[in-house]
Amino acid sequence: MELLIAIVIGVLTASGVFLTLRARTFPVVLGLTLLAYAVNVFLFAMGRLTIGLPAVINPAQGGYTDPLPQALVLTAIVIAFGMTAFLIVLALKSRSELGNDHVDGLHLAPDEVPYDKKATVKSQQPNKEASHG
Amino acid sequence: MNSLPFLPVLIPLIGGVIVLLIRQAGLNLQRLLSFLLVLALLAVSVELLHVASQGSPQVYALGNWVAPYGIVLVLDQLSALMIFITAILAVGALWYAISTKMDAQGSHFHVLFQIQLFGLNGAFMTGDVFNLFVFFEVLLLASYGLMLHGGGRLRTKAGLQYVVINLIGSTLFLFAVGALYGVLGTLNIADMANKVALLSSEDQGVVAAAGLLLLLVFGIKAAMFPLYLWLPQAYANASAPVAALFAIMTKVGLYAIIRVHGTVFGDNAQELAFFYTPWLLGLGLITIILAALGVMASRGLREQVAYLVLASVATLLIGIGLNTPAALSASLYYLIHSTLIAGGFFLLADIIARGKGSLEDHFKSGPTMPQAILIGSTFIFAAIAMVGMPPLSGFFGKVLILSSALDNEYFGWILTIVLIASLIMIIAMARSGSVLFYHLQPNVDSTDEPLNKLAYLAVILLFSASIVLVVFAQPITSMTDSIAQQLFNPNHYIDSVFNTPAVGKVSP
């Protein structure tokens, strides 16, 4: 069972790292989700893997599962869930504002002005920024 | 058990919720309450600094569960100092946000601001590594909201990168915490230090790897080479009061290195004692070169200040990497200086950008700004303080760090690199100052907006710290000496965590 869990964590992490390094936001979100899954299983395994034992000390059972990693995983799941939701909304916002879904935003949208030409162009259209508001 | 240590965490949390609930009553009431909360935090932090300087760390066991089973908040001198710096910075940033009405550009600015303070203060006080992770997430989530406050294209782009890199950092943090728990069986920092001292030699490799992974995570927060690339764009594109508050965010990473690594991998840690410090020193030296080049290459003042923040982080990494009480004490002095001056500098950059009209803060010859002499003098003051020229506090901080570096075997390299980097930064600041204030073109469209004097007060407040740090250098360095002594004797910290009884029980 340890071997299986270790392989699962490894595959999840490798896929997560691969996807996180992609150039578009959607694979990056998926990659971060996979990384979060990997770390959850990893945290769980760090309390040592046991089968069929309760998480509270019970003399009749002859053993117990470490409850602390389970609490940690629960916290980590909640945080990862919230963060993923936030990231998806942010990715959608950047898709609509930047006109593309590239993480580095290097690909300029058709109407976008490069940084070093911005000042001169803006002085000709003083009200442009206000309308973006 | 004294409940005073709990207040800096409680005030912004409850205050933030109340600020959220009264949003129907209008922005002005939110502003008033938010500002009163920050002032209350400042008052409490002064009291905490006083209490902590009495000696032994104050421990607050949450839910009356004592260490190592419960989560404890620990207030020692370092925590109290960090909370105090945060409170001053928050007063300046919030005053600026209110007086320029920047808080009206988006919703919930004050709520996010308070929750950010909640996360920061919690991170500075917690005695538990997993709880540190939770507080990191709190302060990060609030910072995502603040970072994007006001909207805009560049801000969204920089914000997305900032969020992604910090989410990766959080995942790595959990991996490191999990690996440490798997070997040591505890998450309490003091208890971890005890367990590492008794570690068998075959487990040391795993713990060292987890320790370095944790260093990587804190390095992302502190913007250490090669993990600094998110910082310049994020800071340059955040709105001014947010960027000013973010000046403390890199210091959270440094604080976590001092606290977690300094305690767990301290003197008692057998072969692992201070195994991380050569990394800090080497990476700090690389970071300061790249930061100086970034200062040189910046196209706008806000970007330049962001690189100056990076240079100050690098200086602090070198100071911590030197790993002597004298160097740590000097680093803490420099930390107070660099946080407050960088915060003020971001506000000043915004004032200059407003005065320059459509040119914003770009280094291009432009119109004369209103009150140019006053703003220009302030700029010279800030530049001198930030790059570390006499007679201001940056100079004293750097001298203290470099003089403590003389004992190090690589002192030649350290002195050469730091001084060359400082020279590059001085040249770059002189150039940007002359472009902003001397190369004028009267026919470019000027702004009619006069100087916002109330907003300017916030800059004065933060910059006056530099003068205070010079005038009261002696008492302040004796305080940082005492903090450094406390940090180099982690047994004191560990004993106070374990010897605090639960309420209603007698001390054993």
Side-chain angles (χ1 to χ4, degrees), chain A residues 16-105:
Chain A
V17 169
F18 176 78
L19 286 173
T20 310
L21 296 173
R22 306 299 291 171
R24 287 170 185 273
T25 49
F26 186 63
V28 171
V29 173
L30 282 185
L32 286 169
T33 315
L34 286 184
L35 276 178
Y37 290 162
V39 80
N40 287 341
V41 180
F42 177 78
L43 276 179
F44 196 74
M46 278 301 114
R48 304 296 183 272
L49 299 167
T50 46
I51 295 175
L53 290 175
V56 284
I57 298 176
N58 182 353
Q61 288 278 352
Y64 67 96
T65 314
D66 191 347
L68 192 72
Q70 305 188 4
L72 300 188
V73 170
L74 205 58
T75 316
I77 288 173
V78 173
I79 290 177
F81 184 71
M83 291 294 179
T84 309
F86 181 81
L87 185 60
I88 289 172
V89 173
L90 184 58
L92 285 174
K93 183 178 155 69
S94 84
R95 168 71 182 76
S96 70
E97 287 208 8
L98 298 175
N100 65 63
D101 62 348
H102 281 263
V103 177
D104 56 11

Side-chain angles (χ1 to χ4, degrees), chain A residues 113-129:
Chain A
V113 183
Y115 186 91
D116 45 351
K117 294 192 183 137
K118 198 175 157 204
T120 48
V121 174
K122 262 176 61 185
S123 57
Q124 291 158 10
Q125 307 168 336
N127 292 326
K128 202 181 169 204
E129 194 71 1

Side-chain angles (χ1 to χ4, degrees), chain B residues 83-161:
Chain B
I83 290 170
F84 179 61
I85 302 174
T86 311
I88 297 180
L89 198 62
V91 170
L94 194 62
W95 179 261
Y96 190 88
I98 294 173
S99 56
T100 54
K101 301 192 172 57
M102 274 189 166
D103 53 349
Q105 286 173 357
S107 45
H108 301 310
F109 177 85
H110 293 286
V111 181
L112 290 168
F113 197 89
Q114 295 295 332
I115 299 300
Q116 172 89 69
L117 292 177
F118 163 62
L120 283 166
N121 290 345
F124 290 141
M125 296 223 306
T126 182
D128 182 280
V129 181
F130 194 79
N131 199 227
L132 182 66
F133 165 77
V134 174
F135 277 122
F136 266 17
E137 292 306 308
V138 170
L139 74 89
L140 284 174
L141 198 48
S143 79
Y144 301 155
L146 285 175
M147 163 89 220
L148 297 164
H149 178 77
R153 216 168 226 196
L154 288 170
R155 202 168 283 170
T156 307
K157 189 176 106 182
L160 182 70
Q161 292 166 1

